Amino acid sequence: MSEEQHKADHRGRPSNDEFRAFIAASWAPRSTDKPAQALAAPYAALRRAAASAAFPGERLVIPAGGLKVRSNDCDYVFRPHSAFAHLTGLGSDREPDAVLVLEPRQDGSHESILYFRPLAGRDTEEFFGDSRYGEFWVGARPGLADIEDELALSARHIDELAEGMGKDVGSTGIRIVRDGDRDLTAALDAVRDGATATGETDEAGQTQTIRDRDDELAHFLSTMRLVKDEWEIAQMRDAIRATATGFDAVIAGLPQALAHGRGERWVEGIFGLHARHQGNGVGYDSICASGDHANTLHWIKNTGDIASGDLLLLDAGVEVDSLFTADVTRTLPVSGRFTEAQRKVYDAVYAAQEAGIAAVKPGAKFSDIHDAAIRVIAEHLHAWGLLPEGVDVETTLDKDNGNYHRRWMVHGTSHHLGLDVHDCALALREEYMGSELKPGMILTVEPGLYFKADDLLVPEELRGIGVRIEDDMLVTVDGCENLSAAMPRTSTDVESWIANSRGLTAMP
Ligand code: GLY
Ligand code: MN
């Protein structure tokens, strides 16, 4: 047997026509039920209309991205690019290699076309022989008609994409979301180079490159998500509700986390279980940081033990099937009761968070939230004598000359939240930090204080204590709603939460 034959047999390829006919025959008709994600379609259509209006006469290309190899012949679970998810309503697992194209019409509007890899027929080799895409291996996908019915747009086979994209190059402006699919972007750059975009100028009269024009599209699609529609807000409520279930489960599992050892891994697993069960999974790698690990801001290794006297900082969020994610942090006394030093730090962070939350209202600036919270942090650090001699609160808050407090809280207090945990990341400073809060925005308020175990500037009793409290706020017409309010926040409420979970009465 040649090596090629051996390989073919090993992978179960057909040996003859009889086998092909046998494997293709006698299957029940497929279900015609629409997936639950179809509910997003009318909202996605409105977003495409906004993109269409912003770029009349231009072809807009928004790739979902492709499968990514984890190792050898194993891929990561697929997650579409957020811009693609937003403009199609397609969420978890859908659809690898798909490309949304907004094709310009004469009247300035666009036809939405989804190029994707439709389900292959049962009479094809892909059906049973393709371990990356075949139905036998990874399950069924929709067909062209299914997608047209689900999303109310035109669907074409991915093999027609090259022809569709190359049409009228030179007379049609073409923009692509570059990080959606780097190979497709490179192919499009080769076609566009010299044919389109060159010589065009922006509002300031500067010559724009192809890349500048692509970046404009990505920026538009990112900032479009600053204000959430009603469907997005409902998705966020679901994500946050599921996240609360995960936190409850972690608290209930703390005794086992201690008993089994390697407790941070246990906590990560418990939260992950509930994230997967309630939603699509975690929206970002959970930070399960016990003791001094809490002072490493993005501690996602989660390799540590948990000891009874520790604080456990859990920063975690469930991503629902539509890919919207929560982002909540609670800092929990593992014993059920804060020590005096832990409570002192916790209550300071809580006061800072309250100040930050009070600043969340329409018309306020996004940066007001941080300014309010960090002032309270600075006041506590000053009162505790931690700022250098002669440095008062105003001095440290002076961004040019101070910033001493940043030794103990180096991160910002807030970020937008939605399809990405750090949503709308392409917004410019004036559209983000410098912008006015508007009803429908969803953002976090998450101050912290971090006293590293090896920080010789702080009293010994504070060393190794790290606290962050994080909630997800919806800006309303007259203030804000704390979407994660169901999760206790004050030090005494957190103690009661833990006590109730253990069937104990809270200590007085
Ligand atoms: N929850 C992680 C972060 O906001 O960076
Ligand atoms: Mn956050």
PDB file of all heavy atoms in Angstrom, residues 54-75:
ATOM      1  N   ALA A  54     -23.688  55.769   6.039  1.00  0.00           N
ATOM      2  CA  ALA A  54     -22.411  56.451   6.292  1.00  0.00           C
ATOM      3  C   ALA A  54     -21.422  56.286   5.140  1.00  0.00           C
ATOM      4  O   ALA A  54     -20.492  57.085   4.997  1.00  0.00           O
ATOM      5  CB  ALA A  54     -21.798  55.929   7.591  1.00  0.00           C
ATOM      6  N   PHE A  55     -21.594  55.258   4.327  1.00  0.00           N
ATOM      7  CA  PHE A  55     -20.631  54.994   3.244  1.00  0.00           C
ATOM      8  C   PHE A  55     -21.348  54.743   1.923  1.00  0.00           C
ATOM      9  O   PHE A  55     -21.235  53.663   1.334  1.00  0.00           O
ATOM     10  CB  PHE A  55     -19.749  53.778   3.617  1.00  0.00           C
ATOM     11  CG  PHE A  55     -18.936  53.972   4.865  1.00  0.00           C
ATOM     12  CD1 PHE A  55     -19.393  53.515   6.092  1.00  0.00           C
ATOM     13  CD2 PHE A  55     -17.712  54.631   4.808  1.00  0.00           C
ATOM     14  CE1 PHE A  55     -18.649  53.702   7.250  1.00  0.00           C
ATOM     15  CE2 PHE A  55     -16.954  54.821   5.968  1.00  0.00           C
ATOM     16  CZ  PHE A  55     -17.419  54.361   7.182  1.00  0.00           C
ATOM     17  N   PRO A  56     -22.116  55.729   1.424  1.00  0.00           N
ATOM     18  CA  PRO A  56     -22.866  55.496   0.180  1.00  0.00           C
ATOM     19  C   PRO A  56     -21.915  55.223  -0.982  1.00  0.00           C
ATOM     20  O   PRO A  56     -20.838  55.822  -1.060  1.00  0.00           O
ATOM     21  CB  PRO A  56     -23.634  56.812  -0.014  1.00  0.00           C
ATOM     22  CG  PRO A  56     -22.903  57.826   0.807  1.00  0.00           C
ATOM     23  CD  PRO A  56     -22.276  57.092   1.947  1.00  0.00           C
ATOM     24  N   GLY A  57     -22.335  54.317  -1.845  1.00  0.00           N
ATOM     25  CA  GLY A  57     -21.582  54.067  -3.075  1.00  0.00           C
ATOM     26  C   GLY A  57     -20.335  53.219  -2.877  1.00  0.00           C
ATOM     27  O   GLY A  57     -19.586  52.981  -3.829  1.00  0.00           O
ATOM     28  N   GLU A  58     -20.088  52.753  -1.654  1.00  0.00           N
ATOM     29  CA  GLU A  58     -18.861  51.982  -1.425  1.00  0.00           C
ATOM     30  C   GLU A  58     -19.188  50.543  -1.039  1.00  0.00           C
ATOM     31  O   GLU A  58     -20.196  50.289  -0.368  1.00  0.00           O
ATOM     32  CB  GLU A  58     -18.050  52.617  -0.295  1.00  0.00           C
ATOM     33  CG  GLU A  58     -17.638  54.037  -0.620  1.00  0.00           C
ATOM     34  CD  GLU A  58     -16.551  54.510   0.334  1.00  0.00           C
ATOM     35  OE1 GLU A  58     -15.535  53.799   0.454  1.00  0.00           O
ATOM     36  OE2 GLU A  58     -16.752  55.549   0.962  1.00  0.00           O
ATOM     37  N   ARG A  59     -18.316  49.636  -1.438  1.00  0.00           N
ATOM     38  CA  ARG A  59     -18.482  48.225  -1.028  1.00  0.00           C
ATOM     39  C   ARG A  59     -17.828  48.060   0.340  1.00  0.00           C
ATOM     40  O   ARG A  59     -16.648  48.375   0.523  1.00  0.00           O
ATOM     41  CB  ARG A  59     -17.807  47.322  -2.058  1.00  0.00           C
ATOM     42  CG  ARG A  59     -17.946  45.837  -1.737  1.00  0.00           C
ATOM     43  CD  ARG A  59     -17.414  44.980  -2.887  1.00  0.00           C
ATOM     44  NE  ARG A  59     -18.153  45.278  -4.101  1.00  0.00           N
ATOM     45  CZ  ARG A  59     -17.588  45.353  -5.325  1.00  0.00           C
ATOM     46  NH1 ARG A  59     -16.296  45.152  -5.471  1.00  0.00           N
ATOM     47  NH2 ARG A  59     -18.327  45.639  -6.372  1.00  0.00           N
ATOM     48  N   LEU A  60     -18.606  47.556   1.290  1.00  0.00           N
ATOM     49  CA  LEU A  60     -18.118  47.377   2.667  1.00  0.00           C
ATOM     50  C   LEU A  60     -17.997  45.882   2.944  1.00  0.00           C
ATOM     51  O   LEU A  60     -18.963  45.137   2.732  1.00  0.00           O
ATOM     52  CB  LEU A  60     -19.070  48.033   3.664  1.00  0.00           C
ATOM     53  CG  LEU A  60     -19.421  49.493   3.376  1.00  0.00           C
ATOM     54  CD1 LEU A  60     -20.402  50.031   4.417  1.00  0.00           C
ATOM     55  CD2 LEU A  60     -18.152  50.362   3.340  1.00  0.00           C
ATOM     56  N   VAL A  61     -16.849  45.485   3.411  1.00  0.00           N
ATOM     57  CA  VAL A  61     -16.564  44.058   3.583  1.00  0.00           C
ATOM     58  C   VAL A  61     -16.280  43.786   5.055  1.00  0.00           C
ATOM     59  O   VAL A  61     -15.343  44.359   5.626  1.00  0.00           O
ATOM     60  CB  VAL A  61     -15.348  43.645   2.710  1.00  0.00           C
ATOM     61  CG1 VAL A  61     -15.077  42.155   2.832  1.00  0.00           C
ATOM     62  CG2 VAL A  61     -15.580  44.045   1.255  1.00  0.00           C
ATOM     63  N   ILE A  62     -17.110  42.952   5.665  1.00  0.00           N
ATOM     64  CA  ILE A  62     -16.973  42.687   7.104  1.00  0.00           C
ATOM     65  C   ILE A  62     -16.851  41.178   7.302  1.00  0.00           C
ATOM     66  O   ILE A  62     -17.861  40.455   7.341  1.00  0.00           O
ATOM     67  CB  ILE A  62     -18.187  43.251   7.894  1.00  0.00           C
ATOM     68  CG1 ILE A  62     -18.343  44.755   7.629  1.00  0.00           C
ATOM     69  CG2 ILE A  62     -18.023  43.009   9.396  1.00  0.00           C
ATOM     70  CD1 ILE A  62     -19.402  45.128   6.649  1.00  0.00           C
ATOM     71  N   PRO A  63     -15.628  40.680   7.463  1.00  0.00           N
ATOM     72  CA  PRO A  63     -15.453  39.228   7.604  1.00  0.00           C
ATOM     73  C   PRO A  63     -15.763  38.746   9.016  1.00  0.00           C
ATOM     74  O   PRO A  63     -15.524  39.453   9.996  1.00  0.00           O
ATOM     75  CB  PRO A  63     -13.952  39.015   7.304  1.00  0.00           C
ATOM     76  CG  PRO A  63     -13.434  40.323   6.804  1.00  0.00           C
ATOM     77  CD  PRO A  63     -14.347  41.379   7.352  1.00  0.00           C
ATOM     78  N   ALA A  64     -16.246  37.505   9.090  1.00  0.00           N
ATOM     79  CA  ALA A  64     -16.425  36.863  10.400  1.00  0.00           C
ATOM     80  C   ALA A  64     -15.094  36.370  10.933  1.00  0.00           C
ATOM     81  O   ALA A  64     -14.898  36.253  12.136  1.00  0.00           O
ATOM     82  CB  ALA A  64     -17.382  35.682  10.278  1.00  0.00           C
ATOM     83  N   GLY A  65     -14.165  36.082  10.012  1.00  0.00           N
ATOM     84  CA  GLY A  65     -12.906  35.429  10.402  1.00  0.00           C
ATOM     85  C   GLY A  65     -13.023  33.933  10.197  1.00  0.00           C
ATOM     86  O   GLY A  65     -14.112  33.411   9.936  1.00  0.00           O
ATOM     87  N   GLY A  66     -11.885  33.261  10.282  1.00  0.00           N
ATOM     88  CA  GLY A  66     -11.875  31.815  10.025  1.00  0.00           C
ATOM     89  C   GLY A  66     -11.538  31.027  11.270  1.00  0.00           C
ATOM     90  O   GLY A  66     -11.348  31.585  12.353  1.00  0.00           O
ATOM     91  N   LEU A  67     -11.495  29.725  11.097  1.00  0.00           N
ATOM     92  CA  LEU A  67     -11.086  28.856  12.198  1.00  0.00           C
ATOM     93  C   LEU A  67      -9.602  29.081  12.485  1.00  0.00           C
ATOM     94  O   LEU A  67      -8.826  29.340  11.571  1.00  0.00           O
ATOM     95  CB  LEU A  67     -11.335  27.392  11.816  1.00  0.00           C
ATOM     96  CG  LEU A  67     -12.816  27.017  11.629  1.00  0.00           C
ATOM     97  CD1 LEU A  67     -12.946  25.666  10.936  1.00  0.00           C
ATOM     98  CD2 LEU A  67     -13.526  27.001  12.975  1.00  0.00           C
ATOM     99  N   LYS A  68      -9.222  28.994  13.736  1.00  0.00           N
ATOM    100  CA  LYS A  68      -7.810  29.192  14.104  1.00  0.00           C
ATOM    101  C   LYS A  68      -7.273  27.901  14.715  1.00  0.00           C
ATOM    102  O   LYS A  68      -7.900  27.311  15.606  1.00  0.00           O
ATOM    103  CB  LYS A  68      -7.670  30.322  15.121  1.00  0.00           C
ATOM    104  CG  LYS A  68      -7.992  31.686  14.539  1.00  0.00           C
ATOM    105  CD  LYS A  68      -7.523  32.820  15.447  1.00  0.00           C
ATOM    106  CE  LYS A  68      -7.728  34.182  14.806  1.00  0.00           C
ATOM    107  NZ  LYS A  68      -9.135  34.562  14.630  1.00  0.00           N
ATOM    108  N   VAL A  69      -6.121  27.500  14.210  1.00  0.00           N
ATOM    109  CA  VAL A  69      -5.526  26.257  14.699  1.00  0.00           C
ATOM    110  C   VAL A  69      -5.050  26.447  16.134  1.00  0.00           C
ATOM    111  O   VAL A  69      -4.359  27.413  16.453  1.00  0.00           O
ATOM    112  CB  VAL A  69      -4.339  25.849  13.804  1.00  0.00           C
ATOM    113  CG1 VAL A  69      -3.612  24.641  14.392  1.00  0.00           C
ATOM    114  CG2 VAL A  69      -4.831  25.548  12.392  1.00  0.00           C
ATOM    115  N   ARG A  70      -5.429  25.514  16.986  1.00  0.00           N
ATOM    116  CA  ARG A  70      -4.894  25.521  18.353  1.00  0.00           C
ATOM    117  C   ARG A  70      -3.592  24.750  18.370  1.00  0.00           C
ATOM    118  O   ARG A  70      -2.602  25.199  18.895  1.00  0.00           O
ATOM    119  CB  ARG A  70      -5.913  24.886  19.303  1.00  0.00           C
ATOM    120  CG  ARG A  70      -5.451  24.833  20.734  1.00  0.00           C
ATOM    121  CD  ARG A  70      -6.575  24.301  21.632  1.00  0.00           C
ATOM    122  NE  ARG A  70      -6.183  24.370  23.026  1.00  0.00           N
ATOM    123  CZ  ARG A  70      -5.530  23.411  23.663  1.00  0.00           C
ATOM    124  NH1 ARG A  70      -5.188  22.303  23.017  1.00  0.00           N
ATOM    125  NH2 ARG A  70      -5.208  23.550  24.936  1.00  0.00           N
ATOM    126  N   SER A  71      -3.609  23.586  17.773  1.00  0.00           N
ATOM    127  CA  SER A  71      -2.407  22.776  17.648  1.00  0.00           C
ATOM    128  C   SER A  71      -2.698  21.663  16.656  1.00  0.00           C
ATOM    129  O   SER A  71      -3.791  21.076  16.684  1.00  0.00           O
ATOM    130  CB  SER A  71      -2.043  22.186  19.024  1.00  0.00           C
ATOM    131  OG  SER A  71      -0.949  21.319  18.889  1.00  0.00           O
ATOM    132  N   ASN A  72      -1.742  21.404  15.792  1.00  0.00           N
ATOM    133  CA  ASN A  72      -1.854  20.305  14.836  1.00  0.00           C
ATOM    134  C   ASN A  72      -3.190  20.372  14.095  1.00  0.00           C
ATOM    135  O   ASN A  72      -3.449  21.340  13.393  1.00  0.00           O
ATOM    136  CB  ASN A  72      -1.661  18.972  15.568  1.00  0.00           C
ATOM    137  CG  ASN A  72      -1.589  17.803  14.614  1.00  0.00           C
ATOM    138  OD1 ASN A  72      -1.193  17.957  13.479  1.00  0.00           O
ATOM    139  ND2 ASN A  72      -1.992  16.628  15.057  1.00  0.00           N
ATOM    140  N   ASP A  73      -4.071  19.403  14.268  1.00  0.00           N
ATOM    141  CA  ASP A  73      -5.332  19.432  13.525  1.00  0.00           C
ATOM    142  C   ASP A  73      -6.521  19.801  14.411  1.00  0.00           C
ATOM    143  O   ASP A  73      -7.666  19.502  14.077  1.00  0.00           O
ATOM    144  CB  ASP A  73      -5.583  18.084  12.829  1.00  0.00           C
ATOM    145  CG  ASP A  73      -5.671  16.934  13.810  1.00  0.00           C
ATOM    146  OD1 ASP A  73      -5.389  17.147  15.009  1.00  0.00           O
ATOM    147  OD2 ASP A  73      -6.020  15.816  13.387  1.00  0.00           O
ATOM    148  N   CYS A  74      -6.227  20.471  15.546  1.00  0.00           N
ATOM    149  CA  CYS A  74      -7.324  20.909  16.423  1.00  0.00           C
ATOM    150  C   CYS A  74      -7.479  22.427  16.326  1.00  0.00           C
ATOM    151  O   CYS A  74      -6.500  23.165  16.440  1.00  0.00           O
ATOM    152  CB  CYS A  74      -7.035  20.534  17.882  1.00  0.00           C
ATOM    153  SG  CYS A  74      -6.993  18.766  18.124  1.00  0.00           S
ATOM    154  N   ASP A  75      -8.711  22.870  16.127  1.00  0.00           N
ATOM    155  CA  ASP A  75      -9.011  24.311  16.063  1.00  0.00           C
ATOM    156  C   ASP A  75      -9.555  24.789  17.397  1.00  0.00           C
ATOM    157  O   ASP A  75     -10.114  24.013  18.179  1.00  0.00           O
ATOM    158  CB  ASP A  75     -10.080  24.585  14.998  1.00  0.00           C
ATOM    159  CG  ASP A  75      -9.599  24.308  13.585  1.00  0.00           C
ATOM    160  OD1 ASP A  75      -8.426  24.602  13.305  1.00  0.00           O
ATOM    161  OD2 ASP A  75     -10.404  23.796  12.777  1.00  0.00           O
TER     162      ASP A  75
END
